[in-house]
Amino acid sequence: MATKDDKQNLFKILLATDNHLGVWEKDQVRKDDSFNTFAEILQLAKDLGVDFVLLGGDLFHENKPSRSSLVRGVDIFAKHCLGNQPVKFQVLSDPWVNFEKSAANYENPNLNIGLPVFTIHGNHDDPSGEGNLSAVDVLSSCGLVNYFGKSLLDGAGQGKVRLNPVLLEKGTTKIALYGLGHIRDERLGRLFQTPGCVEWVRPKVEPAYPSEDWFNIFVLHQNRVQHGAQAKNCVQEKYLARFIDFVLWGHEHECLPDPQASAVGKFNILQPGSSVATALSEGESRNKHVVLLEVMGDKWRTIKYPLQTVRPFKFQHVVLSEQNSVDPDDPDSITSFLEQRVEEMIKAACREKPTPAGTAGVGGGGKKSLLPIVRLRVDYTGFSTINSQRFGQKFVNKVANPHDIIMWSKAAKRKEAEAAGKGTFQLGTDQLDQTTIDDLISANLRQDLEILAEEDLTMAVHQFVEKDEKNALSACYASTLTETQKSALKTPTNPGSPEVDVGEAAAKQMQKRKMDKEMKSALQLANAGDDDDEVDDDMDIDSNVDNLAPLTSEPEPRSTATRPATRKRQQNATPTTAPEKPKRLGGTRGRPGTLDAFLVPKPAATQETATGTQRTAVFNAEDADELESNPPSASRRRSRRENQGTVTGSKKRGTVQRTFLDSEDEDEQPRVKKTAITRRRRGLP
């Protein structure tokens, strides 16, 4: 039995993802499903006395939910999150860096929050349009949720993602909560593969807060596996930081409530799945759960709780050619067989819940019985189909989805066509569940685009179709036109001809884009080859700013020589046994105070050059002032340039950068570039 001290140090977190508030809102039978289940989740959180609820994205089903869905969602949060329950943990990191608002909602003196909710955005409710706002921003402005993990990446460029942890403390237990809202999988895959594009900020180390005290949680909303033939890149586990202890993976709707050990790292992955069936796929037919995560010190455990208000869902797959009672030339025999199979599925769903569960409708509705959802995938190879709509009418008031009970499939011919490479083939209903409009555009217009960039057009179509951004296509066209016009104006004209060859300028612009794309592909292939190499699991991340290197998907190779401080830490380290928790590498942490006391300064950027690896260490603005007020002597400047590189100061930017060039040839002297300070002292422009 837990003692009083244990309760003071115990973090209790309820985990859920993909709630999809507002899905099926136009269906008279299923319109309340998402709201009823989400209300059950928050009520369960109150009954369990959790410290906070952690959501993994897709809180709303649409980026711009209807007013009815938004109001009902706000009502649920207000009912369960406002109250007099004391909040027993504190946020130690800078709220201006972590959240979209200035502070955690429970610290707002004008609000009375009893149940804090932390959430990231998903692909359904991701920010878009002017201001990059979504329905989650509305809830954040109302003080009902703590919205974190928002990364703004404009256009189709490479971009950069910086992951700043939310530092939480309760008694002696400390949690570093990392969050990453949804980014298109193909683009995020390039970011992870490109060194320096993904930075993980670590808490600073101090004697009062040793590195092993931090329990690191990462929340993301991305594809974990590929879906369909036209699927984009999924996020692979090898890209995640090795110091992470626990991963909450959203976006995948199949419920896997038991933590799974990573095959490439020492962390565990939990995939709670969706709380409501949306795509009616086989994975969503599993029983739905939410998971309670308990963390105390360096130990953790999970407890799964089945959801009671979820509508029963049965999924089966049948092959007509394997049924002896079905005649290929007799449609009536096909209908009779399918009717019998659906009736059996309905009875099986009722046996699981003999008395249909009733839930009070959110907003004051009465009790409603839950009709089951039935989905039957039929392989009709060698057979003819029947009218699915007419077939479904026989099960009105028996199932919740009479119009889409049957899902026709002809997998054998589809696989043969793919193997033979015979152009396009008929898309089945199961593929349409996972194939989006922008995937089709990308696959069919890849060879026909001459002016518009494929990635820009794909993003514009995605915003137009999925997010209802009416100006997305026109903005893409205007941006590309402006870029091409600028390129045409820079193109030199032929002697004696005052006009610019627009076709030639456009061709050069497309050639430049093609070369950039080939360079990106070559970089991805190079990084993919490096991924196969074994990585040292015992690599130490030093908090010393002079030796700081960013932790990206592929860390910089370490020298065989170990620094004295590192050797001392390795000698003094004592092995600890924690069977319920994977082994963690050291994190760093600072004392309570400002952001600088907790987070390590910006890590050094790494860039490959012709002569070696260029690293940049970032210092404070005070160093810049001291450098310009007390310039070193000429001999010291020469010595510094020979041994360390060049120092660059800038009051305007508030940083001082020191550049290192590691030459591959020991006999060759490192190249030193002129800096702004050096040129200014010599009277150069």
Side-chain angles (χ1 to χ4, degrees), residues 1 96 233 243 245 290 310 431 434 440 584 638 677:
M1 184 173 179
W96 291 96
N233 295 339
F243 62 83
D245 301 309
V290 291
V310 176
Q431 278 188 291
Q434 301 294 346
L440 299 177
R584 300 181 290 132
R638 285 195 300 271
I677 294 179

Side-chain angles (χ1 to χ4, degrees), residues 557-595:
R558 288 195 58 183
S559 172
T560 56
T562 307
R563 292 187 300 271
T566 306
R567 288 199 301 266
K568 184 177 180 180
R569 284 194 298 269
Q570 293 175 349
Q571 294 172 359
N572 295 337
T574 56
T576 57
T577 57
E580 298 180 338
K581 172 181 174 300
K583 181 182 177 182
R584 300 181 290 132
L585 296 177
T588 54
R589 164 74 163 75
R591 59 181 178 274
T594 62
L595 175 66

Side-chain angles (χ1 to χ4, degrees), residues 323-344:
Q323 309 301 324
N324 298 328
S325 60
V326 180
D327 185 0
D329 300 326
D330 184 8
D332 292 337
S333 65
I334 299 177
T335 303
S336 177
F337 169 76
L338 295 180
E339 288 180 359
Q340 180 181 359
R341 184 59 62 93
V342 171
E343 290 288 353
E344 293 175 356

